[in-house]
Amino acid sequence: DPGADASLCGMAATGASGTNAVRYGTMRPNVLNLRVVLPDGRLLHTAGPRRQPRKRAAGYDLTSLFVGSEGTLGFLTQATLRLHPLPEATAATIASFPSVGAAVACTVQVLQAAVPVARIEFLDEVMADACSRFSGMGLPAAATLLLELHGSRRSLAEQQQQTEEIVRQNGGSSLAWAEGLEEREQLWSMRHNAWYAALALRPGCQGYSTDVCVPISRLPDVVVETKKDLEASGITGPMVGHVGDGNFHCILVFNSQDPEEAERVHSFTQRLGRRALAAGGTCTGEHGVGLGKRELLHEELGQEGLDTLRSIKAALDPHNLMNPGKVL
């Protein structure tokens, strides 16, 4: 489920995912082989030329090394991908909740009940209202979950019943399921326009998106704490996330010409990253380290981990030609 401007190798290089990742995984488990141009010009096939086994135990996992490397180890020029069959039946729905905590608790319970949900996306009340107005969907300004189920027609009915019961137990609205392609595309189009909907909250301002990922069991606490932090900081930062993976984003909309506001945004992003680390999570689930999270990466991996990454970087790119300054 790539973004509008995504390329396959770009998604592999950034370790990207998307709304389907809770069922089908991120790019990392879905890449079987990569063709990489190394910094010295040599051509590497990470699983061997023309190899595409579903699993392998031959040597180090070079494919996983380059997935998520953020352009620091080589140019990815070709990807061999795992394919998944299209489901016989698909149903999607929207549920509104009385609070952010209730929406995220519902997510955790759906997963713990082993409902094989394909997509489960979270919008806080600010994001739900912004998306509704931007896309003309008429949603209430409330914490919201977007859910999609895949399966056979018989199994889908059972999944829908399970999901409805859990939504109801958490105070969610009654569910109307959309099974037609046009209705489902309208729903997911609204979700994919979340970035533009957030920017529309403050025309003329800059958007900055940051993300973290935490264990599912800690997700409700971390999301609620983050919501309180946003409100206390006076920051416009609607929340949206692939909560089925424990991954959520804050789209921070601010005046970049205001040094005081810019500093508040920076301080918030650092607190968010450290909050995720304290919960046993990671400072970034899919946006990557780049320049802004190098300090957090050190805190996450420790000096030994960082030294190991630097040794790999030095071995493959001794002249530091590839994306110098990024990640490390």
Side-chain angles (χ1 to χ4, degrees):
D1 180 29
D5 300 319
S7 67
L8 292 177
C9 288
M11 289 186 69
T14 54
S17 57
T19 58
N20 276 303
V22 64
R23 175 72 174 267
Y24 302 104
T26 66
M27 284 299 288
R28 194 176 301 277
N30 283 294
V31 178
L32 301 177
N33 201 347
L34 287 169
R35 185 178 68 190
V36 183
V37 178
L38 296 172
D40 61 6
R42 289 180 298 158
L43 198 62
L44 167 70
H45 296 267
T46 57
R50 297 178 298 280
R51 309 290 178 199
Q52 48 189 8
R54 289 181 64 87
K55 64 180 183 180
R56 60 190 301 275
Y60 299 145
D61 189 349
L62 295 178
T63 304
S64 289
L65 174 65
F66 281 90
V67 174
S69 59
E70 298 186 46
T72 60
L73 301 178
F75 290 113
L76 312 190
T77 62
Q78 187 181 79
T80 303
L81 304 179
R82 186 187 304 272
L83 299 182
H84 299 271
L86 292 173
E88 177 189 354
T90 302
T93 191
I94 301 175
S96 298
F97 293 83
S99 68
V100 164
V104 181
C106 179
T107 299
V108 174
Q109 291 171 30
V110 166
L111 296 171
Q112 289 176 338
V115 178
V117 63
R119 309 192 205 190
I120 183 164
E121 294 287 301
F122 164 73
L123 312 174
D124 74 351
E125 71 278 7
V126 179
M127 191 78 260
D129 186 47
C131 284
S132 178
R133 287 190 279 125
F134 188 82
S135 299
M137 288 285 286
L139 297 182
T144 299
L145 290 181
L146 313 180
L147 300 103
E148 185 168 284
L149 306 173
H150 295 174
S152 66
R153 297 197 182 279
R154 180 178 299 178
S155 67
L156 206 62
E158 183 180 348
Q159 293 175 36
Q160 287 171 301
Q161 182 180 354
Q162 282 183 283
T163 303
E164 288 170 5
E165 290 175 1
I166 296 171
V167 168
R168 186 169 58 252
Q169 289 167 8
N170 286 278
S173 60
S174 58
L175 302 184
W177 295 92
E179 298 189 16
L181 179 61
E182 187 174 338
E183 289 178 283
R184 289 188 286 108
E185 285 185 342
Q186 185 181 20
L187 186 155
W188 292 113
S189 176
M190 177 195 71
R191 165 62 182 88
H192 290 311
N193 284 326
W195 170 259
Y196 305 106
L199 293 181
L201 292 172
R202 294 183 65 184
C205 287
Q206 179 180 345
Y208 177 82
S209 184
T210 188
D211 85 304
V212 295
C213 189
V214 298
I216 293 294
S217 61
R218 296 298 309 276
L219 185 64
D221 291 340
V222 173
V223 169
V224 169
E225 290 171 17
T226 301
K227 183 68 176 175
K228 292 178 179 177
D229 192 355
L230 281 167
E231 292 172 348
S233 302
I235 296 172
T236 301
M239 298 171 66
V240 60
H242 316 308
V243 284
D245 294 320
N247 180 211
F248 69 92
H249 312 252
C250 295
I251 302 177
L252 310 171
V253 187
F254 68 105
N255 180 3
S256 59
Q257 302 305 310
D258 182 343
E260 187 274 334
E261 186 176 12
E263 177 56 33
R264 275 190 287 128
V265 166
H266 174 74
S267 297
F268 168 79
T269 61
Q270 296 299 300
R271 289 195 302 274
L272 175 60
R274 293 191 171 99
R275 184 177 301 120
L277 295 180
T282 175
C283 65
T284 176
E286 61 181 24
H287 283 190
V289 174
L291 293 171
K293 292 189 174 181
R294 289 180 299 179
E295 183 179 344
L296 291 171
L297 179 65
H298 184 197
E299 295 176 26
E300 181 170 331
L301 295 182
Q303 190 60 51
E304 294 77 10
L306 212 58
D307 287 346
T308 302
L309 292 185
R310 286 179 173 140
S311 296
I312 294 171
K313 168 71 168 172
L316 293 176
D317 184 17
H319 301 295
N320 197 26
L321 300 175
M322 308 299 298
N323 243 0
K326 296 290 181 71
V327 183
L328 304 176

